[in-house]
Amino acid sequence: MIKLMADSTCDLSQEIVERYNIGIAPLNIEIEGVHYRDKIDLTSDEFFERLPDMEELPKTGAPSPEAYLNIIEEAMTEGYSEFLCICMSSGTSASYQAAEIARESFYDKHAETGVKIHIVDSWSMSHGSGWLIMKSAQLLEEGYSFDELVAFNETHKKHVKHFLCVEDLHNLTKSGRISNTGAFIGSLLRVKPIMSMKDTKGAIVAKARGTKKALNYYVEEFQKRIDPEWTTFIIIGNSNDKSIAEQLKEKIKLKTDFIGDMHIMQMGVAVGTHVGLGGLSLFFMEKETI
């Protein structure tokens, strides 16, 4: 049997995690000297409620190799023998490296085992890796083999399209995702930076003045870029304001011919630390020719 695994930055809803029995290794969060496990000891709602009053941003750390090993060893007792682990981009987190250490440790301990473990560096952040995991789960239900799932992820991971904009640039500035000058100008002009992934890291790809123009940009780019063969669903992410995500969902319904599922999911504590309040994201598979 094939077990799907991820770190908690995939930000998949608990419903999806349980539906596909996905093993999640939580990131570690430190807030004012207190340590938490992402989404286990602290929920997203609790975090975003506390965030405005924090004097310093939380510190985030990758899952321990033991967290991944525990998932593997527990699943083996349930009959699983093939493990596909999809991690946050190695350009933004050490989660992938921790999973690789776990894989090596497992084979050191079980040298003669026939168990297969493949770790995917998703080149994605947040629901980008979550999109790959959900798609892998659907393909698994369609009968894909372990090797076919590995090939799909390694071939198509670079085409998972990300868009992210935020209401407030404070957290992006403090976490080094945007310059102080850019934040100052953006605050004065109410300009929303729109980010995507480039070379495994986040980069600003556009700027929009106000929420309405940002939503229009999302819809226009979605229409232009979508790969209709692979994009059977999209994920719309939000940090603390689900109403913005609902607005984007309605615009996509009204202005495009997309008929697949549209999932609205909240960002977790680890991702929310850097995104801050008012975050809105969109994830889908784009055409290779873009």
Side-chain angles (χ1 to χ4, degrees):
M1 292 195 298
I2 301 171
K3 177 76 170 180
L4 298 177
M5 299 169 52
D7 63 69
S8 62
T9 65
C10 69
D11 289 341
L12 292 174
S13 67
Q14 191 61 30
E15 175 193 356
I16 294 297
V17 169
E18 292 176 0
R19 181 190 303 176
Y20 297 116
N21 193 24
I22 301 165
I24 302 293
L27 266 73
N28 299 296
I29 316 293
E30 182 183 341
I31 303 175
E32 298 173 344
V34 180
H35 294 270
Y36 303 89
R37 291 168 297 169
D38 188 12
K39 297 184 181 178
I40 297 177
D41 304 316
L42 184 65
T43 68
S44 297
D45 285 334
E46 290 169 340
F47 169 73
F48 286 114
E49 184 176 345
R50 292 175 55 181
L51 183 58
D53 297 323
M54 293 181 190
E55 294 183 3
E56 294 184 358
L57 288 185
K59 298 176 182 177
T60 60
S64 65
E66 289 75 20
Y68 291 107
L69 279 171
N70 289 340
I71 295 171
I72 294 170
E73 292 178 347
E74 181 178 344
M76 285 176 63
T77 66
E78 300 171 359
Y80 290 94
S81 60
E82 297 173 310
F83 297 85
L84 179 63
C85 182
I86 303 174
C87 297
M88 184 180 186
S89 172
S90 62
T92 57
S93 170
S95 293
Y96 171 77
Q97 287 84 353
E100 282 286 4
I101 293 170
R103 185 178 66 85
E104 293 171 6
S105 297
F106 176 85
Y107 286 128
D108 286 342
K109 184 178 177 181
H110 305 278
E112 303 302 320
T113 185
V115 168
K116 294 181 180 180
I117 303 172
H118 185 85
I119 315 296
V120 177
D121 179 355
S122 70
W123 297 4
S124 293
M125 295 174 65
S126 190
H127 296 111
S129 59
W131 194 96
L132 278 173
I133 296 160
M134 278 189 66
K135 191 65 179 181
S136 295
Q138 292 179 356
L139 294 175
L140 180 58
E141 288 185 333
E142 292 175 15
Y144 270 52
S145 68
F146 181 75
D147 290 340
E148 287 172 331
L149 288 178
V150 169
F152 164 77
N153 279 275
E154 295 297 353
T155 301
H156 294 285
K157 65 184 183 182
K158 61 185 176 181
H159 299 301
V160 177
K161 191 60 185 174
H162 304 53
F163 286 115
L164 166 69
C165 68
V166 295
E167 184 66 34
D168 189 312
L169 296 167
H170 175 74
N171 287 49
L172 285 170
T173 304
K174 293 198 71 172
S175 62
R177 267 57 178 183
I178 190 174
S179 69
N180 284 310
T181 302
F184 178 70
I185 293 173
S187 297
L188 282 179
L189 302 178
R190 300 188 65 81
V191 170
K192 291 176 177 288
I194 298 175
M195 304 179 72
S196 190
M197 293 295 287
K198 285 191 175 183
D199 300 323
T200 76
K201 295 183 179 181
I204 294 176
V205 295
K207 296 177 183 179
R209 188 169 297 179
T211 300
K212 183 177 180 180
K213 290 187 176 179
L215 294 178
N216 288 338
Y217 178 87
Y218 275 40
V219 173
E220 290 167 5
E221 290 296 309
F222 175 72
Q223 287 179 299
K224 180 171 66 177
R225 295 174 176 273
I226 182 175
D227 182 330
E229 178 183 358
W230 289 111
T231 306
T232 52
F233 66 92
I234 64 174
I235 299 177
I236 300 172
N238 71 102
S239 52
N240 67 307
D241 189 351
K242 187 178 179 181
S243 67
I244 305 175
E246 294 283 3
Q247 289 178 46
L248 178 57
K249 180 178 178 179
E250 288 306 309
K251 275 187 174 289
I252 292 174
K253 279 185 179 179
L254 291 172
K255 296 191 173 184
T256 77
D257 58 1
F258 181 69
I259 58 173
D261 293 330
M262 290 188 272
H263 300 274
I264 293 179
M265 299 185 193
Q266 190 173 28
M267 300 171 195
V269 178
V271 171
T273 292
H274 302 292
V275 171
L277 302 177
L280 175 70
S281 53
L282 175 65
F283 303 87
F284 57 93
M285 183 76 79
E286 72 174 344
K287 294 178 287 191
E288 294 186 27
T289 54
I290 288 291

